[in-house]
Amino acid sequence: MTRRRLGLLGGTFDPVHVGHLALARSACVALRLDELRLMPTGAPWQKSGVVASPAQRLAMLRLAIAGETRLQADAREVERAGPTYTVDTLAEMRAELGPDVSLILILGSDQLRNLASWHRWRELLQHAHLACTQREQVPLADLPAPVEALVQSRGAQALPDAPAGSIVFFTMPPVPVSATALRQALARGERPAELVPPAVLDYIEAANLYGAGTGGSGHD
Ligand code: ATP
């Protein structure tokens, strides 16, 4: 029997954009995932300047993945009070899933480089594998020393038949977009239809998020 593979992609998703969707779809194919959960953070403790509310970020995410059966939104961090720590989320999911399911945390290279700043980061691999990919303009080479040491000890060519514990890498076509650049474009009054799914752009404009539709008031 093949072990079920559940991927997890956390993010601020402020707002969700085509880079997130490309990452999710590439991860599904490259890692042969049965399901990928996209999980908006509640109160991101490492990011200031989050603009949309947790409920709005979740709503936009749901619009973006509607109809894609392998992609699901997971609201648990949005619903949790207090700071959001990925290690707690993984432990909670592991307790729900039992010991057999392969749980795979998807990380762009910006997040991998930053990993040693995460709360109890060395415990992440007790609950899940890490699957990392290069994000445009953020190299996977020359990682910070503690992260490199972890990759050296836990790196694998492919996901092993185990529920957790390894680090693997996969490739995706570069998609040059970030939520920060997107918010700035919207605040300038642009309509970046190629960077966000149409239903999400409609939502942003209807809710007047990021200064969209106000003729570029400059609020970000
Ligand atoms: P911000 O610009 O506000 O920091 P962001 O666009 O980086 O936001 P996040 O919500 O922080 O988006 O990212 C969630 C995950 O998606 C991270 O693992 C990040 O590396 C990845 N990611 C974001 N944009 C891209 C992209 N264009 N290509 C590949 N991965 C991406």
Side-chain angles (χ1 to χ4, degrees), residues 9-24 39-41 47-50 57 106-112 118 131 133-136 138 172-183:
L9 173 55
T12 318
F13 301 118
D14 187 26
V16 62
H17 54 64
V18 293
H20 298 130
L21 295 175
L23 173 61
M39 187 179 291
T41 49
K47 274 195 186 180
S48 55
V50 173
R57 291 184 286 115
I106 314 295
L107 297 177
S109 43
D110 53 323
Q111 291 200 326
L112 180 66
W118 289 24
T133 192
Q134 162 119 31
R135 184 168 172 182
E136 87 295 354
V138 185
M172 66 174 281
V175 184
V177 54
S178 72
T180 303
L182 187 51
R183 289 194 300 272

mmCIF file of all heavy atoms in Angstrom, residues 9-24 39-41 47-50 57 106-112 118 131 133-136 138 172-183, ligand 1:
data_model
loop_
_atom_site.group_PDB
_atom_site.id
_atom_site.type_symbol
_atom_site.label_atom_id
_atom_site.label_comp_id
_atom_site.label_asym_id
_atom_site.label_seq_id
_atom_site.Cartn_x
_atom_site.Cartn_y
_atom_site.Cartn_z
ATOM 1 N N LEU A 9 1.247 24.004 2.540
ATOM 2 C CA LEU A 9 1.881 25.250 2.091
ATOM 3 C C LEU A 9 1.326 26.395 2.922
ATOM 4 O O LEU A 9 0.173 26.796 2.751
ATOM 5 C CB LEU A 9 1.605 25.464 0.595
ATOM 6 C CG LEU A 9 2.043 26.803 -0.007
ATOM 7 C CD1 LEU A 9 3.518 27.078 0.229
ATOM 8 C CD2 LEU A 9 1.733 26.833 -1.501
ATOM 9 N N GLY A 10 2.141 26.861 3.856
ATOM 10 C CA GLY A 10 1.731 27.993 4.691
ATOM 11 C C GLY A 10 2.162 29.295 4.052
ATOM 12 O O GLY A 10 3.123 29.333 3.281
ATOM 13 N N GLY A 11 1.460 30.357 4.360
ATOM 14 C CA GLY A 11 1.864 31.659 3.832
ATOM 15 C C GLY A 11 0.945 32.740 4.363
ATOM 16 O O GLY A 11 -0.098 32.459 4.951
ATOM 17 N N THR A 12 1.351 33.952 4.119
ATOM 18 C CA THR A 12 0.489 35.065 4.523
ATOM 19 C C THR A 12 -0.663 35.201 3.522
ATOM 20 O O THR A 12 -1.776 35.545 3.895
ATOM 21 C CB THR A 12 1.312 36.369 4.570
ATOM 22 O OG1 THR A 12 2.567 36.096 5.170
ATOM 23 C CG2 THR A 12 0.611 37.414 5.400
ATOM 24 N N PHE A 13 -0.346 34.981 2.252
ATOM 25 C CA PHE A 13 -1.358 35.065 1.184
ATOM 26 C C PHE A 13 -2.087 36.414 1.244
ATOM 27 O O PHE A 13 -3.303 36.472 1.292
ATOM 28 C CB PHE A 13 -2.345 33.889 1.255
ATOM 29 C CG PHE A 13 -1.679 32.540 1.144
ATOM 30 C CD1 PHE A 13 -1.756 31.614 2.177
ATOM 31 C CD2 PHE A 13 -0.962 32.192 0.013
ATOM 32 C CE1 PHE A 13 -1.129 30.373 2.089
ATOM 33 C CE2 PHE A 13 -0.320 30.955 -0.090
ATOM 34 C CZ PHE A 13 -0.414 30.044 0.957
ATOM 35 N N ASP A 14 -1.287 37.470 1.218
ATOM 36 C CA ASP A 14 -1.821 38.839 1.383
ATOM 37 C C ASP A 14 -1.483 39.686 0.171
ATOM 38 O O ASP A 14 -0.701 40.634 0.291
ATOM 39 C CB ASP A 14 -1.221 39.429 2.669
ATOM 40 C CG ASP A 14 -1.827 40.775 3.028
ATOM 41 O OD1 ASP A 14 -2.979 41.030 2.635
ATOM 42 O OD2 ASP A 14 -1.143 41.570 3.700
ATOM 43 N N PRO A 15 -2.072 39.400 -1.008
ATOM 44 C CA PRO A 15 -3.050 38.350 -1.311
ATOM 45 C C PRO A 15 -2.371 37.136 -1.967
ATOM 46 O O PRO A 15 -1.213 37.198 -2.351
ATOM 47 C CB PRO A 15 -3.943 39.040 -2.360
ATOM 48 C CG PRO A 15 -2.968 39.878 -3.139
ATOM 49 C CD PRO A 15 -1.918 40.327 -2.157
ATOM 50 N N VAL A 16 -3.159 36.056 -2.116
ATOM 51 C CA VAL A 16 -2.714 34.897 -2.891
ATOM 52 C C VAL A 16 -2.484 35.350 -4.340
ATOM 53 O O VAL A 16 -3.192 36.223 -4.851
ATOM 54 C CB VAL A 16 -3.755 33.767 -2.809
ATOM 55 C CG1 VAL A 16 -5.100 34.169 -3.399
ATOM 56 C CG2 VAL A 16 -3.249 32.479 -3.456
ATOM 57 N N HIS A 17 -1.446 34.803 -4.984
ATOM 58 C CA HIS A 17 -1.131 35.210 -6.353
ATOM 59 C C HIS A 17 -0.698 34.000 -7.195
ATOM 60 O O HIS A 17 -0.601 32.873 -6.667
ATOM 61 C CB HIS A 17 -0.080 36.322 -6.354
ATOM 62 C CG HIS A 17 1.186 36.005 -5.605
ATOM 63 N ND1 HIS A 17 2.055 35.000 -5.981
ATOM 64 C CD2 HIS A 17 1.741 36.572 -4.492
ATOM 65 C CE1 HIS A 17 3.091 34.975 -5.158
ATOM 66 N NE2 HIS A 17 2.920 35.897 -4.220
ATOM 67 N N VAL A 18 -0.397 34.253 -8.466
ATOM 68 C CA VAL A 18 -0.100 33.140 -9.378
ATOM 69 C C VAL A 18 1.182 32.395 -8.990
ATOM 70 O O VAL A 18 1.340 31.226 -9.327
ATOM 71 C CB VAL A 18 -0.023 33.608 -10.856
ATOM 72 C CG1 VAL A 18 -1.387 34.064 -11.355
ATOM 73 C CG2 VAL A 18 1.013 34.708 -11.044
ATOM 74 N N GLY A 19 2.087 33.068 -8.276
ATOM 75 C CA GLY A 19 3.296 32.383 -7.811
ATOM 76 C C GLY A 19 2.953 31.296 -6.798
ATOM 77 O O GLY A 19 3.500 30.184 -6.837
ATOM 78 N N HIS A 20 2.037 31.601 -5.880
ATOM 79 C CA HIS A 20 1.594 30.592 -4.901
ATOM 80 C C HIS A 20 0.931 29.411 -5.609
ATOM 81 O O HIS A 20 1.145 28.250 -5.246
ATOM 82 C CB HIS A 20 0.572 31.187 -3.924
ATOM 83 C CG HIS A 20 1.097 32.320 -3.089
ATOM 84 N ND1 HIS A 20 0.431 33.517 -2.972
ATOM 85 C CD2 HIS A 20 2.209 32.424 -2.324
ATOM 86 C CE1 HIS A 20 1.114 34.313 -2.160
ATOM 87 N NE2 HIS A 20 2.193 33.683 -1.755
ATOM 88 N N LEU A 21 0.105 29.723 -6.603
ATOM 89 C CA LEU A 21 -0.619 28.638 -7.287
ATOM 90 C C LEU A 21 0.339 27.779 -8.103
ATOM 91 O O LEU A 21 0.220 26.546 -8.121
ATOM 92 C CB LEU A 21 -1.721 29.223 -8.186
ATOM 93 C CG LEU A 21 -2.832 29.957 -7.413
ATOM 94 C CD1 LEU A 21 -3.805 30.607 -8.388
ATOM 95 C CD2 LEU A 21 -3.566 29.016 -6.476
ATOM 96 N N ALA A 22 1.320 28.417 -8.743
ATOM 97 C CA ALA A 22 2.318 27.646 -9.502
ATOM 98 C C ALA A 22 3.116 26.757 -8.558
ATOM 99 O O ALA A 22 3.403 25.591 -8.870
ATOM 100 C CB ALA A 22 3.241 28.607 -10.253
ATOM 101 N N LEU A 23 3.457 27.299 -7.404
ATOM 102 C CA LEU A 23 4.194 26.514 -6.413
ATOM 103 C C LEU A 23 3.357 25.310 -5.968
ATOM 104 O O LEU A 23 3.851 24.175 -5.897
ATOM 105 C CB LEU A 23 4.538 27.411 -5.215
ATOM 106 C CG LEU A 23 5.167 26.747 -3.999
ATOM 107 C CD1 LEU A 23 6.499 26.089 -4.365
ATOM 108 C CD2 LEU A 23 5.386 27.770 -2.882
ATOM 109 N N ALA A 24 2.091 25.546 -5.677
ATOM 110 C CA ALA A 24 1.214 24.465 -5.208
ATOM 111 C C ALA A 24 1.071 23.373 -6.262
ATOM 112 O O ALA A 24 1.198 22.175 -5.973
ATOM 113 C CB ALA A 24 -0.163 25.039 -4.852
ATOM 114 N N MET A 39 -2.456 27.032 3.785
ATOM 115 C CA MET A 39 -2.845 27.450 5.130
ATOM 116 C C MET A 39 -2.422 28.895 5.405
ATOM 117 O O MET A 39 -1.236 29.168 5.599
ATOM 118 C CB MET A 39 -2.178 26.506 6.138
ATOM 119 C CG MET A 39 -2.622 26.731 7.548
ATOM 120 S SD MET A 39 -1.822 25.571 8.664
ATOM 121 C CE MET A 39 -2.568 24.011 8.213
ATOM 122 N N PRO A 40 -3.365 29.829 5.395
ATOM 123 C CA PRO A 40 -3.004 31.212 5.724
ATOM 124 C C PRO A 40 -2.638 31.330 7.202
ATOM 125 O O PRO A 40 -3.293 30.726 8.066
ATOM 126 C CB PRO A 40 -4.283 32.008 5.431
ATOM 127 C CG PRO A 40 -5.251 31.065 4.828
ATOM 128 C CD PRO A 40 -4.791 29.670 5.108
ATOM 129 N N THR A 41 -1.599 32.108 7.482
ATOM 130 C CA THR A 41 -1.214 32.343 8.876
ATOM 131 C C THR A 41 -2.236 33.251 9.548
ATOM 132 O O THR A 41 -2.837 34.111 8.900
ATOM 133 C CB THR A 41 0.144 33.047 8.942
ATOM 134 O OG1 THR A 41 0.105 34.157 8.059
ATOM 135 C CG2 THR A 41 1.271 32.134 8.538
ATOM 136 N N LYS A 47 6.111 38.896 10.292
ATOM 137 C CA LYS A 47 5.812 39.878 9.254
ATOM 138 C C LYS A 47 4.991 41.017 9.843
ATOM 139 O O LYS A 47 3.961 40.787 10.464
ATOM 140 C CB LYS A 47 4.989 39.238 8.131
ATOM 141 C CG LYS A 47 5.825 38.572 7.076
ATOM 142 C CD LYS A 47 5.014 38.278 5.824
ATOM 143 C CE LYS A 47 5.861 37.478 4.854
ATOM 144 N NZ LYS A 47 5.153 37.167 3.624
ATOM 145 N N SER A 48 5.424 42.237 9.611
ATOM 146 C CA SER A 48 4.590 43.371 9.978
ATOM 147 C C SER A 48 3.958 43.887 8.694
ATOM 148 O O SER A 48 4.371 43.524 7.597
ATOM 149 C CB SER A 48 5.437 44.443 10.648
ATOM 150 O OG SER A 48 6.493 44.786 9.795
ATOM 151 N N GLY A 49 2.960 44.701 8.826
ATOM 152 C CA GLY A 49 2.387 45.314 7.642
ATOM 153 C C GLY A 49 1.433 44.441 6.866
ATOM 154 O O GLY A 49 1.165 44.705 5.703
ATOM 155 N N VAL A 50 0.901 43.382 7.509
ATOM 156 C CA VAL A 50 -0.136 42.582 6.844
ATOM 157 C C VAL A 50 -1.378 43.443 6.723
ATOM 158 O O VAL A 50 -1.791 44.095 7.677
ATOM 159 C CB VAL A 50 -0.425 41.293 7.637
ATOM 160 C CG1 VAL A 50 -1.609 40.558 7.053
ATOM 161 C CG2 VAL A 50 0.807 40.401 7.623
ATOM 162 N N ARG A 57 -8.008 37.135 3.777
ATOM 163 C CA ARG A 57 -6.949 36.333 3.141
ATOM 164 C C ARG A 57 -7.442 34.905 2.877
ATOM 165 O O ARG A 57 -7.147 34.308 1.844
ATOM 166 C CB ARG A 57 -5.690 36.346 4.009
ATOM 167 C CG ARG A 57 -5.019 37.725 4.027
ATOM 168 C CD ARG A 57 -3.711 37.767 4.796
ATOM 169 N NE ARG A 57 -3.889 37.722 6.237
ATOM 170 C CZ ARG A 57 -3.483 36.743 7.025
ATOM 171 N NH1 ARG A 57 -2.859 35.698 6.504
ATOM 172 N NH2 ARG A 57 -3.686 36.786 8.321
ATOM 173 N N ILE A 106 5.939 22.461 2.386
ATOM 174 C CA ILE A 106 6.508 23.053 1.178
ATOM 175 C C ILE A 106 7.099 24.425 1.513
ATOM 176 O O ILE A 106 6.413 25.257 2.121
ATOM 177 C CB ILE A 106 5.406 23.247 0.098
ATOM 178 C CG1 ILE A 106 4.522 22.002 -0.052
ATOM 179 C CG2 ILE A 106 5.997 23.714 -1.226
ATOM 180 C CD1 ILE A 106 5.213 20.793 -0.550
ATOM 181 N N LEU A 107 8.329 24.657 1.084
ATOM 182 C CA LEU A 107 8.996 25.926 1.387
ATOM 183 C C LEU A 107 9.644 26.513 0.148
ATOM 184 O O LEU A 107 10.385 25.816 -0.549
ATOM 185 C CB LEU A 107 10.118 25.720 2.409
ATOM 186 C CG LEU A 107 9.778 25.217 3.805
ATOM 187 C CD1 LEU A 107 11.070 25.021 4.588
ATOM 188 C CD2 LEU A 107 8.865 26.189 4.516
ATOM 189 N N GLY A 108 9.414 27.796 -0.118
ATOM 190 C CA GLY A 108 10.212 28.499 -1.110
ATOM 191 C C GLY A 108 11.584 28.791 -0.521
ATOM 192 O O GLY A 108 11.780 28.747 0.697
ATOM 193 N N SER A 109 12.541 29.103 -1.420
ATOM 194 C CA SER A 109 13.923 29.287 -0.952
ATOM 195 C C SER A 109 14.051 30.435 0.045
ATOM 196 O O SER A 109 14.914 30.400 0.921
ATOM 197 C CB SER A 109 14.847 29.514 -2.154
ATOM 198 O OG SER A 109 14.267 30.403 -3.082
ATOM 199 N N ASP A 110 13.191 31.446 -0.041
ATOM 200 C CA ASP A 110 13.262 32.547 0.932
ATOM 201 C C ASP A 110 12.964 32.016 2.329
ATOM 202 O O ASP A 110 13.606 32.388 3.311
ATOM 203 C CB ASP A 110 12.292 33.687 0.551
ATOM 204 C CG ASP A 110 10.860 33.230 0.323
ATOM 205 O OD1 ASP A 110 10.652 32.125 -0.225
ATOM 206 O OD2 ASP A 110 9.925 33.970 0.681
ATOM 207 N N GLN A 111 12.011 31.116 2.426
ATOM 208 C CA GLN A 111 11.660 30.566 3.737
ATOM 209 C C GLN A 111 12.715 29.583 4.233
ATOM 210 O O GLN A 111 13.005 29.538 5.423
ATOM 211 C CB GLN A 111 10.295 29.888 3.675
ATOM 212 C CG GLN A 111 9.165 30.895 3.485
ATOM 213 C CD GLN A 111 7.832 30.324 3.890
ATOM 214 O OE1 GLN A 111 7.579 29.133 3.721
ATOM 215 N NE2 GLN A 111 6.968 31.160 4.411
ATOM 216 N N LEU A 112 13.280 28.792 3.312
ATOM 217 C CA LEU A 112 14.330 27.864 3.741
ATOM 218 C C LEU A 112 15.525 28.639 4.300
ATOM 219 O O LEU A 112 16.085 28.280 5.343
ATOM 220 C CB LEU A 112 14.779 26.972 2.571
ATOM 221 C CG LEU A 112 15.881 25.980 2.933
ATOM 222 C CD1 LEU A 112 15.380 24.940 3.939
ATOM 223 C CD2 LEU A 112 16.438 25.285 1.700
ATOM 224 N N TRP A 118 12.926 30.262 12.829
ATOM 225 C CA TRP A 118 11.587 29.780 13.192
ATOM 226 C C TRP A 118 11.602 29.205 14.602
ATOM 227 O O TRP A 118 12.597 28.619 15.042
ATOM 228 C CB TRP A 118 11.124 28.684 12.227
ATOM 229 C CG TRP A 118 10.777 29.157 10.854
ATOM 230 C CD1 TRP A 118 11.220 30.294 10.226
ATOM 231 C CD2 TRP A 118 9.930 28.492 9.909
ATOM 232 N NE1 TRP A 118 10.712 30.372 8.962
ATOM 233 C CE2 TRP A 118 9.912 29.280 8.742
ATOM 234 C CE3 TRP A 118 9.194 27.315 9.932
ATOM 235 C CZ2 TRP A 118 9.179 28.923 7.613
ATOM 236 C CZ3 TRP A 118 8.471 26.954 8.811
ATOM 237 C CH2 TRP A 118 8.454 27.752 7.676
ATOM 238 N N ALA A 131 10.033 20.044 1.782
ATOM 239 C CA ALA A 131 10.279 20.016 0.330
ATOM 240 C C ALA A 131 10.471 21.457 -0.119
ATOM 241 O O ALA A 131 9.581 22.297 0.053
ATOM 242 C CB ALA A 131 9.118 19.358 -0.402
ATOM 243 N N THR A 133 11.956 24.557 -2.891
ATOM 244 C CA THR A 133 12.156 24.895 -4.294
ATOM 245 C C THR A 133 12.687 26.307 -4.399
ATOM 246 O O THR A 133 12.474 27.136 -3.516
ATOM 247 C CB THR A 133 10.840 24.750 -5.088
ATOM 248 O OG1 THR A 133 11.131 24.824 -6.484
ATOM 249 C CG2 THR A 133 9.831 25.824 -4.747
ATOM 250 N N GLN A 134 13.391 26.553 -5.495
ATOM 251 C CA GLN A 134 13.978 27.875 -5.706
ATOM 252 C C GLN A 134 12.883 28.866 -6.045
ATOM 253 O O GLN A 134 12.077 28.645 -6.941
ATOM 254 C CB GLN A 134 14.972 27.786 -6.860
ATOM 255 C CG GLN A 134 15.320 29.113 -7.474
ATOM 256 C CD GLN A 134 16.801 29.437 -7.346
ATOM 257 O OE1 GLN A 134 17.632 28.546 -7.336
ATOM 258 N NE2 GLN A 134 17.105 30.707 -7.257
ATOM 259 N N ARG A 135 12.861 29.958 -5.342
ATOM 260 C CA ARG A 135 11.987 31.065 -5.694
ATOM 261 C C ARG A 135 12.802 32.037 -6.532
ATOM 262 O O ARG A 135 14.000 32.186 -6.301
ATOM 263 C CB ARG A 135 11.499 31.733 -4.419
ATOM 264 C CG ARG A 135 10.528 32.823 -4.699
ATOM 265 C CD ARG A 135 9.833 33.269 -3.444
ATOM 266 N NE ARG A 135 9.063 34.434 -3.753
ATOM 267 C CZ ARG A 135 8.359 35.093 -2.876
ATOM 268 N NH1 ARG A 135 8.318 34.683 -1.627
ATOM 269 N NH2 ARG A 135 7.669 36.153 -3.227
ATOM 270 N N GLU A 136 12.137 32.680 -7.459
ATOM 271 C CA GLU A 136 12.879 33.541 -8.384
ATOM 272 C C GLU A 136 13.789 34.498 -7.595
ATOM 273 O O GLU A 136 13.375 35.109 -6.622
ATOM 274 C CB GLU A 136 11.895 34.265 -9.312
ATOM 275 C CG GLU A 136 11.277 35.559 -8.882
ATOM 276 C CD GLU A 136 10.344 35.540 -7.668
ATOM 277 O OE1 GLU A 136 10.021 34.480 -7.123
ATOM 278 O OE2 GLU A 136 9.948 36.634 -7.249
ATOM 279 N N VAL A 138 15.994 34.110 -5.406
ATOM 280 C CA VAL A 138 16.446 33.773 -4.043
ATOM 281 C C VAL A 138 17.159 32.432 -4.119
ATOM 282 O O VAL A 138 16.514 31.391 -4.245
ATOM 283 C CB VAL A 138 15.269 33.694 -3.037
ATOM 284 C CG1 VAL A 138 15.812 33.470 -1.629
ATOM 285 C CG2 VAL A 138 14.422 34.953 -3.093
ATOM 286 N N MET A 172 10.552 24.203 -10.139
ATOM 287 C CA MET A 172 9.332 24.766 -10.726
ATOM 288 C C MET A 172 9.755 25.892 -11.661
ATOM 289 O O MET A 172 10.835 26.464 -11.496
ATOM 290 C CB MET A 172 8.393 25.291 -9.638
ATOM 291 C CG MET A 172 8.937 26.472 -8.872
ATOM 292 S SD MET A 172 7.745 27.179 -7.702
ATOM 293 C CE MET A 172 6.701 28.157 -8.796
ATOM 294 N N PRO A 173 8.932 26.196 -12.676
ATOM 295 C CA PRO A 173 9.279 27.326 -13.537
ATOM 296 C C PRO A 173 9.233 28.616 -12.714
ATOM 297 O O PRO A 173 8.335 28.767 -11.878
ATOM 298 C CB PRO A 173 8.169 27.332 -14.595
ATOM 299 C CG PRO A 173 7.325 26.137 -14.336
ATOM 300 C CD PRO A 173 7.667 25.566 -13.008
ATOM 301 N N PRO A 174 10.174 29.530 -12.899
ATOM 302 C CA PRO A 174 10.154 30.766 -12.113
ATOM 303 C C PRO A 174 8.926 31.619 -12.411
ATOM 304 O O PRO A 174 8.538 31.754 -13.575
ATOM 305 C CB PRO A 174 11.439 31.492 -12.528
ATOM 306 C CG PRO A 174 11.977 30.783 -13.701
ATOM 307 C CD PRO A 174 11.301 29.456 -13.834
ATOM 308 N N VAL A 175 8.307 32.125 -11.379
ATOM 309 C CA VAL A 175 7.145 33.012 -11.536
ATOM 310 C C VAL A 175 7.473 34.288 -10.769
ATOM 311 O O VAL A 175 7.387 34.326 -9.540
ATOM 312 C CB VAL A 175 5.859 32.359 -10.982
ATOM 313 C CG1 VAL A 175 4.655 33.260 -11.234
ATOM 314 C CG2 VAL A 175 5.634 30.992 -11.599
ATOM 315 N N PRO A 176 7.904 35.337 -11.491
ATOM 316 C CA PRO A 176 8.405 36.521 -10.804
ATOM 317 C C PRO A 176 7.292 37.404 -10.257
ATOM 318 O O PRO A 176 6.891 38.383 -10.880
ATOM 319 C CB PRO A 176 9.219 37.246 -11.881
ATOM 320 C CG PRO A 176 8.672 36.756 -13.173
ATOM 321 C CD PRO A 176 8.016 35.440 -12.943
ATOM 322 N N VAL A 177 6.790 37.049 -9.090
ATOM 323 C CA VAL A 177 5.765 37.869 -8.423
ATOM 324 C C VAL A 177 5.908 37.680 -6.921
ATOM 325 O O VAL A 177 6.255 36.599 -6.453
ATOM 326 C CB VAL A 177 4.330 37.477 -8.887
ATOM 327 C CG1 VAL A 177 4.067 36.001 -8.706
ATOM 328 C CG2 VAL A 177 3.263 38.296 -8.168
ATOM 329 N N SER A 178 5.674 38.738 -6.175
ATOM 330 C CA SER A 178 5.569 38.637 -4.719
ATOM 331 C C SER A 178 4.330 39.424 -4.305
ATOM 332 O O SER A 178 3.889 40.334 -5.019
ATOM 333 C CB SER A 178 6.803 39.223 -4.034
ATOM 334 O OG SER A 178 6.790 40.629 -4.142
ATOM 335 N N ALA A 179 3.787 39.070 -3.160
ATOM 336 C CA ALA A 179 2.602 39.781 -2.677
ATOM 337 C C ALA A 179 2.937 41.245 -2.411
ATOM 338 O O ALA A 179 2.106 42.131 -2.633
ATOM 339 C CB ALA A 179 2.063 39.095 -1.422
ATOM 340 N N THR A 180 4.162 41.496 -1.971
ATOM 341 C CA THR A 180 4.566 42.887 -1.696
ATOM 342 C C THR A 180 4.503 43.719 -2.973
ATOM 343 O O THR A 180 3.907 44.800 -2.994
ATOM 344 C CB THR A 180 6.002 42.908 -1.120
ATOM 345 O OG1 THR A 180 6.042 42.098 0.038
ATOM 346 C CG2 THR A 180 6.426 44.322 -0.761
ATOM 347 N N ALA A 181 5.108 43.207 -4.055
ATOM 348 C CA ALA A 181 5.096 43.935 -5.329
ATOM 349 C C ALA A 181 3.672 44.087 -5.854
ATOM 350 O O ALA A 181 3.297 45.131 -6.410
ATOM 351 C CB ALA A 181 5.969 43.210 -6.349
ATOM 352 N N LEU A 182 2.885 43.060 -5.624
ATOM 353 C CA LEU A 182 1.489 43.089 -6.073
ATOM 354 C C LEU A 182 0.690 44.170 -5.323
ATOM 355 O O LEU A 182 -0.047 44.951 -5.938
ATOM 356 C CB LEU A 182 0.899 41.695 -5.812
ATOM 357 C CG LEU A 182 -0.481 41.352 -6.298
ATOM 358 C CD1 LEU A 182 -0.645 41.696 -7.758
ATOM 359 C CD2 LEU A 182 -0.692 39.852 -6.090
ATOM 360 N N ARG A 183 0.871 44.239 -4.024
ATOM 361 C CA ARG A 183 0.165 45.273 -3.232
ATOM 362 C C ARG A 183 0.590 46.664 -3.700
ATOM 363 O O ARG A 183 -0.229 47.577 -3.783
ATOM 364 C CB ARG A 183 0.477 45.109 -1.738
ATOM 365 C CG ARG A 183 -0.146 43.893 -1.103
ATOM 366 C CD ARG A 183 -0.092 43.955 0.427
ATOM 367 N NE ARG A 183 1.250 44.034 0.958
ATOM 368 C CZ ARG A 183 2.027 42.987 1.257
ATOM 369 N NH1 ARG A 183 1.569 41.762 1.071
ATOM 370 N NH2 ARG A 183 3.233 43.165 1.747
HETATM 371 P P1 ATP B 1 5.253 38.932 0.721
HETATM 372 O O1 ATP B 1 5.742 39.591 -0.534
HETATM 373 O O2 ATP B 1 4.155 39.694 1.412
HETATM 374 O O3 ATP B 1 6.380 38.565 1.651
HETATM 375 P P2 ATP B 1 4.933 36.396 -0.611
HETATM 376 O O4 ATP B 1 4.539 36.668 -1.997
HETATM 377 O O5 ATP B 1 6.379 36.073 -0.327
HETATM 378 O O6 ATP B 1 4.484 37.589 0.325
HETATM 379 P P3 ATP B 1 4.009 34.378 1.238
HETATM 380 O O7 ATP B 1 2.605 34.289 1.655
HETATM 381 O O8 ATP B 1 4.972 34.916 2.235
HETATM 382 O O9 ATP B 1 4.023 35.220 -0.120
HETATM 383 O O10 ATP B 1 4.563 33.011 0.664
HETATM 384 C C1 ATP B 1 4.067 31.749 0.988
HETATM 385 C C2 ATP B 1 4.950 30.702 0.325
HETATM 386 O O11 ATP B 1 4.919 30.857 -1.091
HETATM 387 C C3 ATP B 1 6.446 30.781 0.704
HETATM 388 O O12 ATP B 1 6.944 29.454 0.822
HETATM 389 C C4 ATP B 1 7.076 31.478 -0.467
HETATM 390 O O13 ATP B 1 8.427 31.104 -0.621
HETATM 391 C C5 ATP B 1 6.235 30.961 -1.605
HETATM 392 N N1 ATP B 1 6.171 31.866 -2.748
HETATM 393 C C6 ATP B 1 5.657 33.116 -2.764
HETATM 394 N N2 ATP B 1 5.760 33.653 -3.983
HETATM 395 C C7 ATP B 1 6.348 32.723 -4.767
HETATM 396 C C8 ATP B 1 6.738 32.701 -6.157
HETATM 397 N N3 ATP B 1 6.553 33.740 -6.963
HETATM 398 N N4 ATP B 1 7.308 31.560 -6.623
HETATM 399 C C9 ATP B 1 7.511 30.510 -5.804
HETATM 400 N N5 ATP B 1 7.183 30.479 -4.499
HETATM 401 C C10 ATP B 1 6.609 31.571 -3.985
#
